[in-house]
Amino acid sequence: MDTMRSLPESHGSVAVPRGGGFWRKLLAFIGPGWLVAVGYMDPGNWATDIAGGSAFGYALLSVVLLSNLMAIVLQALAARLGIGAGMDLAQACRAHYPRRITLFLWILCEIAIVACDLAEVLGTAIALKLLFGLPLVAGVCLTALDVFLILALQRFGFRRLEAFIAALLIVIAGCFALELAWAGPDWRAAARGLVPTAEIVRNPAMLYIAIGILGATVMPHNLYLHSAVVQTRAFGRDDHDRREAIRLATIDSTVSLGLAFFINAAILVLAAATFHVAGRTGVAEIEEAHRLLAPMLGVGAASTVFAIALLASGQNSTVTGTLAGQVVMEGFLDLRLPMWLRRLVTRGLALVPAVVVVVAMGDRGATPLLLLSQVILSMQLPFAVIPLVAFSGSAKVMGAHAAPRWLIAVAWIVAALIVVLNAVLLWGIAFG
């Protein structure tokens, strides 16, 4: 099948030094991992991490860690697929699956992108309200204008887009470093929270939030995005160059996801150290957390810093959501739409439920909708993970660059765990 290039306007646009040293080449490959890491710390993570930390203290840190380790494995496979096979995940599905299966997977992925976009819409709107007093409905509608931000960024080249993402990530990390310094968590208790317990599975409330954390951390559309953005590097096409590119891209994504783990863990630790220890176990609303942070920590700037990080998180997620939507539509359907039109369609699908819920339930409906969006994302995961693992371990698809057997074995365990956790959640929802 004749397959068009992933993200054709940026394909191979970032130069990789030929014959340069390891660090120069690694520097050229740094960037796609940061784009992917954004999806692991979007506003949807905030709702699940705040709810988990306030209700159960540090106990769900083990879920954050497990989710991050799973993400590292899966994103490494996504990078391997994009470089080794020269196709993104959506293109690989279209090339190797029957048409009806391809369309089914495309519909599921679009649902996941809308759910993710919903989290970004609500997160950005909440941040605008907290910082500027803008009504939530007005903030939701205002987020439609961010399409112009993305169009402006892309005019300056893919490297500049990555730099913008990295700058906002540094802002988010800096904000949470300050928050943790003010909160003074019990680091020994936090370390114990990194060890999983059986209560997470036995307690339905913990399990619901745990799977929400999983859905917010391992993002299905990120697997499609990563397999495409690694192809923006102009690496050589022989086997040696591809192997080197796979190694460098894996380092990039692993380091980036390490930062994502710090930020996700910081949100949960902040909620545990501030709310749970004070007996405020019912704090699940982002706005409530914002209101309580300053008086409970005794630092007037704490709430403002929290809101700034939330706004940066929402804007960052907007950029990567746009790129993921482009990759999915072009890869599955071989259909290319103008970026502004593609973004407005996706954003419109997220705006409608957000406005309806906010109007019907008031501001208190925003956070439950955020949590639900993350559970929906988790439900979509198997339909992205299983094809990814199958393709990246196939010599027919990957040639000499198929993933080693041990890595595929680990990836199948990850896929099985995702399927089992989602089945348990569905059973709990269906039968109480």
Side-chain angles (χ1 to χ4, degrees), residues 327-340:
V327 169
V328 165
M329 177 168 283
E330 293 177 352
F332 276 118
L333 304 182
D334 201 22
L335 175 65
R336 301 182 186 275
L337 296 177
M339 178 65 73
W340 65 269

Side-chain angles (χ1 to χ4, degrees), residues 42-187:
D42 76 340
N45 293 79
W46 292 55
T48 53
D49 290 336
I50 290 171
S54 64
F56 305 110
Y58 302 104
L60 290 178
L61 271 177
S62 60
V63 178
V64 176
L65 177 60
L66 177 63
S67 299
N68 197 260
L69 293 175
M70 293 164 64
I72 287 173
V73 172
L74 296 177
Q75 296 298 163
L77 291 183
R80 179 180 289 270
L81 176 66
I83 295 170
M87 293 186 291
D88 61 57
L89 180 56
Q91 291 173 336
C93 289
R94 183 163 61 90
H96 296 283
Y97 289 152
R99 178 69 172 172
R100 63 182 181 277
I101 294 179
T102 299
L103 290 176
F104 174 70
L105 292 175
W106 169 67
I107 291 170
L108 289 179
C109 192
E110 290 289 358
I111 292 172
I113 290 175
V114 169
C116 182
D117 211 42
L118 180 60
E120 296 159 12
V121 166
L122 290 171
T124 302
I126 291 170
L128 290 172
K129 177 183 178 181
L130 299 179
L131 285 170
F132 307 111
L134 198 67
L136 204 57
V137 172
V140 167
C141 296
L142 188 63
T143 59
L145 299 178
D146 64 18
V147 63
F148 299 110
L149 170 65
I150 292 140
L151 291 173
L153 286 171
Q154 288 196 314
R155 291 186 61 185
F156 294 102
F158 205 80
R159 205 62 165 151
R160 298 290 179 87
L161 182 67
E162 292 172 345
F164 174 79
I165 292 291
L168 287 182
L169 287 178
I170 291 171
V171 169
I172 297 168
C175 287
F176 276 105
L178 278 175
E179 298 281 9
L180 290 181
W182 292 329
D186 181 347
W187 292 112

Side-chain angles (χ1 to χ4, degrees), residues 118 122 126 136 285 287 353-354 356-373:
L118 180 60
L122 290 171
I126 291 170
L136 204 57
E285 302 278 342
E287 292 184 68
V356 168
V357 168
V358 171
V359 170
M361 299 180 61
D363 292 2
R364 70 183 186 279
T367 296
L369 192 58
L370 272 176
L371 287 168
L372 178 61
S373 73

Side-chain angles (χ1 to χ4, degrees), residues 29 54 58 61 87 101 133-134 163 175 199 288 304-305 307 319 351 353 358 363 380 384 387 398 430-431:
F29 272 87
S54 64
Y58 302 104
L61 271 177
M87 293 186 291
I101 294 179
L134 198 67
C175 287
E199 185 187 2
E288 185 180 10
T304 301
V305 169
V319 176
L351 282 175
V358 171
D363 292 2
Q380 307 301 320
M398 300 291 296
F431 299 103

